[in-house]
Amino acid sequence: MQAGKERFEVFDHSPMGVFVIRSDFVVLYWNFCLEEWTGIAPETIVGQSIDAFYPQLTKPRYTIRLQQIFEGGPPVIFSSQLHRYIIPVPYIDGKMRIQHTTVSAILDRQTNEHDALFAIQDVTELTFRMHDYRAMRDQALAEVNERKKAEAKMQASLHEKEILLKEIHHRVKNNLQIISSLLDLQTDHISDENSLRFFKQSQARIRSIAYIHEKLYQSEDLTKVDFKEYLLALSQGIFHAFGIFPDEIDLVFDIQDISLSLKAAVPCGLILNEIMTNSIKHAFSGLFENGAHEIKPRIEISLTQSTKKCYELTICDNGKGLPENFQMDSLDTLGLQLVNMLVGQLKGTIEFCNKRPGAYFHISFYDLG
Amino acid sequence: MIDLTAEQVDALKEIINLGVGRAAGIMNEMVQSHIKLQVPFIKIVGLRELHEEMMTLSNERLSIVRLRFNGSIPGMASLVFPTDSVFKLISILTEDDIDTSDLDELKIGTLSEVGNIVLNGVMGSIANLLQQHLDYSIPSFREDTVDTILASDYDDADAVVLIARTRFTIEELKLNGDIILLFKMSSFEFLMQEIDAMIQEPKGKWN
């Protein structure tokens, strides 16, 4: 056995636990590191069968693989996850030292037999840290999953609310249409021209609001109205209400792709309704009849964004122009009084004048919705 | 390239199946589930085919356990795991849930042992056939892309490699997966001579 000591004594300086056994499982060498871990001195164990100290090593789980080593075969690995330890050694807090072991065949030149050299790496700290890391990672992943679930729930709830909002806009539009139709029915029993005009104007105003709700439930964004689309629909609606065919009056649009909030869109739509109606009713009467004028009646509408929340709406025609001494604040017609009030509601300003030819209205307003 | 006859393929497959069968026996000793390892086919191929074969496992990263050997016929035996097989095998062996997050030191240790068991099983059969003494290095592990693995381990353009596709099945858990065994040898001639001798003497050392 002294020969074994000399053959392997270089392993006394190794930080790994190293021991060597013969094919009959007799211990040939036991290094200092193992003595420190186990408290078993080399003098006690060398020359004895390992079975007397660590009987599990002679179980088939190990012997089946060690057999190849004694035949000079390739090294064998006993990993820490699958075996925990080869040599049970207490660590701290009643835990055992976790080990990763590699066994290699070492040729004894005197006997021409192969011995098994066990090199045991202590991976206890590494394992604990890895477990801590895994626990931390699992916790982080669980939190991420929780967050994802909450987000998905929120998305679902948002989607539900969007559907609900669409439904509300749809119903508001339908109700406004019903009111408009009721007014229409009522007009059948009105013979007084003035009253009839008031009914028609009210109908047009209601329709201008109904279009807003229609555009809202048709749009992706339930808080904004695509104003270009809205203006096209509204102006066609006004023409239809007055029985005007598209080729009778040219409608010229210069409208940027602008979306307005519901808060700004309703007054803005009503303003447009009043001014356009005003033009249709007054601007062209008697002017273009019987080919008296070479130029075709025209209404121009432009809407541009000047700053982040400020917009410019211009409506002009090529008609007779505004009456002399025309004043917005002393108007006695409801339509233009309404325009004045709505501009105030939009925190805007209105300018008007006569261009040669025709009336010109310019409104600057804010969308603070 | 070596063209193998049907008989040679059968004989080689038998030898390798014997080796993986032994490896499966060892694994079954270690775990509760019954693991079956089978080699559905073997081929001797050049680098291009090897690349194609490895890409069928994964076009991303692969785990590989390598065992170099020296002696009269130097070479290297490798076991290649695609990622999904890696996590399945680890969960079976450690009886933990399948954890696909990452390959840490502990899992690498486990995989190295699985590779070690399978490679040793097959090397045992081959060394037995060759009747040659071989010196082995300590098995090593790496994880890399197919291209990087081939560039470093099979850098010789004329390299000839024996591929054994291996399928593991655990019927109770309805789990299966593929791994690939690779053998690179300085010469396959000696191996083939022994195979031929075995074919001619069927009642010889294999029965």
Side-chain angles (χ1 to χ4, degrees):
Chain A
M1 294 302 154
Q2 188 57 32
K5 167 88 183 135
E6 282 162 15
R7 260 173 86 197
F8 303 112
E9 69 183 357
V10 65
F11 294 115
D12 278 340
H13 309 284
S14 166
M16 297 169 90
V18 179
F19 72 99
V20 180
I21 55 171
R22 220 163 46 192
S23 57
D24 58 3
F25 287 78
V26 166
V27 179
L28 299 178
Y29 173 73
W30 190 258
N31 82 339
F32 283 164
C33 179
L34 277 178
E35 181 181 1
E36 198 185 312
W37 286 356
T38 60
I40 300 172
E43 300 78 46
T44 314
I45 195 166
V46 170
Q48 306 295 317
S49 170
I50 194 82
D51 186 48
F53 295 83
Y54 301 107
Q56 81 280 4
L57 284 179
T58 54
K59 297 275 181 293
R61 180 181 167 92
Y62 294 102
T63 54
I64 215 172
R65 295 177 68 188
L66 292 175
Q67 194 52 44
Q68 228 177 342
I69 295 286
F70 297 127
E71 289 165 6
V76 168
I77 293 172
F78 297 112
S79 65
S80 62
Q81 266 196 309
L82 299 183
H83 302 270
R84 303 297 286 170
Y85 41 77
I86 286 286
I87 300 291
V89 177
Y91 189 59
I92 42 172
D93 303 333
K95 289 175 182 152
M96 303 300 270
R97 213 179 270 270
I98 301 164
Q99 302 158 9
H100 179 89
T101 305
T102 308
V103 189
S104 312
I106 304 287
L107 181 69
D108 182 340
R109 293 191 191 283
Q110 284 181 342
T111 60
N112 215 25
E113 297 281 318
H114 286 94
D115 302 322
L117 182 142
F118 288 70
I120 306 168
Q121 191 186 349
D122 180 352
V123 291
T124 317
E125 278 303 316
L126 177 75
T127 307
F128 290 164
R129 281 190 200 163
M130 211 60 88
H131 286 158
D132 288 348
Y133 156 75
R134 283 183 189 174
M136 225 162 65
R137 183 206 59 201
D138 290 347
Q139 193 185 341
L141 284 175
E143 280 171 17
V144 168
N145 280 340
E146 278 300 311
R147 203 168 302 162
K148 276 187 184 162
K149 273 187 204 163
E151 270 172 27
K153 214 171 159 184
M154 229 158 67
Q155 281 292 336
S157 149
L158 193 67
H159 184 63
E160 208 173 278
K161 285 197 176 81
E162 275 176 8
I163 291 171
L164 205 66
L165 202 55
K166 275 193 182 190
E167 184 60 27
I168 289 169
H169 282 305
H170 198 169
R171 288 192 186 178
V172 170
K173 185 217 94 176
N174 284 350
N175 289 342
L176 288 170
Q177 264 179 353
I178 291 169
I179 296 169
S180 175
S181 301
L182 288 174
L183 288 177
D184 203 35
L185 283 173
Q186 200 76 47
T187 55
D188 291 345
H189 306 284
I190 296 170
S191 50
D192 175 47
E193 276 296 314
N194 247 357
S195 304
L196 196 63
R197 202 176 71 240
F198 289 144
F199 265 84
K200 291 276 181 197
Q201 280 173 347
S202 297
Q203 247 185 299
R205 284 166 194 144
I206 291 165
R207 209 169 32 241
S208 79
I209 301 171
Y211 280 136
I212 298 265
H213 289 280
E214 186 178 45
K215 291 293 156 202
L216 274 174
Y217 79 70
Q218 285 169 348
S219 76
E220 287 284 308
D221 180 355
L222 291 168
T223 59
K224 299 267 184 188
V225 181
D226 180 336
F227 219 68
K228 192 174 184 173
E229 272 187 28
Y230 169 70
L231 284 184
L232 288 170
L234 179 67
S235 51
Q236 280 163 11
I238 294 171
F239 271 28
H240 181 72
F242 280 90
I244 295 168
F245 291 104
D247 59 345
E248 285 181 68
I249 299 176
D250 277 344
L251 253 180
V252 181
F253 291 105
D254 174 18
I255 301 164
Q256 289 179 353
D257 285 330
I258 287 170
S259 292
L260 293 180
S261 71
L262 184 63
K263 202 174 165 187
V266 172
C268 200
L270 282 168
I271 290 170
L272 200 93
N273 177 63
E274 297 307 326
I275 296 177
M276 258 188 90
T277 306
N278 208 49
S279 285
I280 291 168
K281 274 164 47 188
H282 307 296
F284 309 117
S285 61
L287 202 59
F288 302 109
E289 286 159 16
N290 309 318
H293 202 289
E294 290 176 2
I295 303 168
K296 196 175 171 188
R298 188 174 73 242
I299 297 174
E300 292 177 27
I301 302 166
S302 108
L303 179 66
T304 55
Q305 188 166 10
S306 51
T307 61
K308 199 177 172 192
K309 291 191 170 176
C310 188
Y311 299 88
E312 312 292 332
L313 175 66
T314 307
I315 307 150
C316 58
D317 61 52
N318 60 347
K320 289 192 287 196
L322 300 166
E324 271 183 54
N325 304 321
F326 178 84
Q327 293 291 324
M328 285 297 273
D329 49 4
S330 62
L331 292 169
D332 52 4
T333 58
L334 173 65
L336 292 173
Q337 275 177 14
L338 194 62
V339 169
N340 222 9
M341 197 183 80
L342 292 166
V343 169
Q345 198 178 319
L346 286 168
K347 308 270 181 263
T349 55
I350 182 163
E351 290 168 31
F352 56 88
C353 61
N354 275 327
K355 294 235 166 178
R356 287 189 189 137
Y360 172 90
F361 289 87
H362 177 89
I363 297 130
S364 293
F365 67 94
Y366 291 91
D367 182 0
L368 303 170
Chain B
M1 192 71 55
I2 302 172
D3 287 325
L4 300 178
T5 64
E7 279 177 316
Q8 286 174 323
V9 169
D10 283 348
L12 256 177
K13 217 163 100 175
E14 189 182 331
I15 291 165
I16 294 173
N17 261 321
L18 210 67
V20 297
R22 191 180 302 137
I26 291 170
M27 281 198 232
N28 291 332
E29 190 71 41
M30 290 162 56
V31 295
Q32 299 300 318
S33 310
H34 180 72
I35 301 175
K36 203 159 85 180
L37 286 173
Q38 274 180 316
V39 178
F41 70 81
I42 61 146
K43 282 195 257 189
I44 292 185
V45 297
L47 271 187
R48 198 175 51 81
E49 263 191 273
L50 174 62
H51 183 269
E52 284 169 10
E53 192 66 35
M54 283 173 79
M55 290 301 275
T56 62
L57 282 188
S58 168
N59 55 5
E60 291 172 2
R61 293 172 84 79
L62 292 171
S63 298
I64 182 162
V65 180
R66 296 173 301 178
L67 176 70
R68 290 181 191 278
F69 47 89
N70 276 308
S72 47
I73 312 169
M76 182 169 69
S78 311
L79 188 65
V80 188
F81 304 84
T83 316
D84 62 332
S85 295
V86 162
F87 294 121
K88 278 181 201 170
L89 272 172
I90 291 177
S91 90
I92 295 155
L93 294 167
T94 57
E95 291 168 20
D96 278 342
D97 294 335
I98 294 182
D99 172 7
T100 57
S101 52
D102 49 16
L103 212 51
D104 57 35
E105 277 301 315
L106 302 181
K107 291 179 191 164
I108 287 171
T110 310
L111 265 193
S112 299
E113 180 166 355
V114 173
N116 176 242
I117 292 168
V118 177
L119 292 175
N120 286 11
V122 181
M123 275 322 290
S125 297
I126 289 181
N128 199 7
L129 175 77
L130 295 173
Q131 291 291 303
Q132 297 285 315
H133 174 73
L134 299 170
D135 291 321
Y136 300 94
S137 67
I138 301 289
S140 63
F141 175 89
R142 73 183 283 194
E143 190 200 8
D144 230 318
T145 60
V146 170
D147 288 337
T148 317
I149 290 169
L150 289 181
S152 66
D153 289 355
Y154 302 90
D155 51 347
D156 175 7
D158 300 325
V160 175
V161 182
L162 169 66
I163 296 180
R165 189 102 188 185
T166 309
R167 171 150 279 241
F168 66 87
T169 314
I170 300 110
E171 276 166 12
E172 301 100 296
L173 304 177
K174 301 209 181 319
L175 262 182
N176 58 50
D178 277 359
I179 47 185
I180 286 183
L181 266 163
L182 300 175
F183 291 93
K184 184 176 83 165
M185 288 193 198
S186 58
S187 165
F188 276 97
E189 279 170 27
F190 192 70
L191 178 72
M192 296 324 296
Q193 277 172 23
E194 292 300 319
I195 292 279
D196 289 338
M198 181 187 126
I199 293 165
Q200 279 154 26
E201 292 178 62
K203 297 278 176 209
K205 56 198 167 196
W206 297 96
N207 290 302

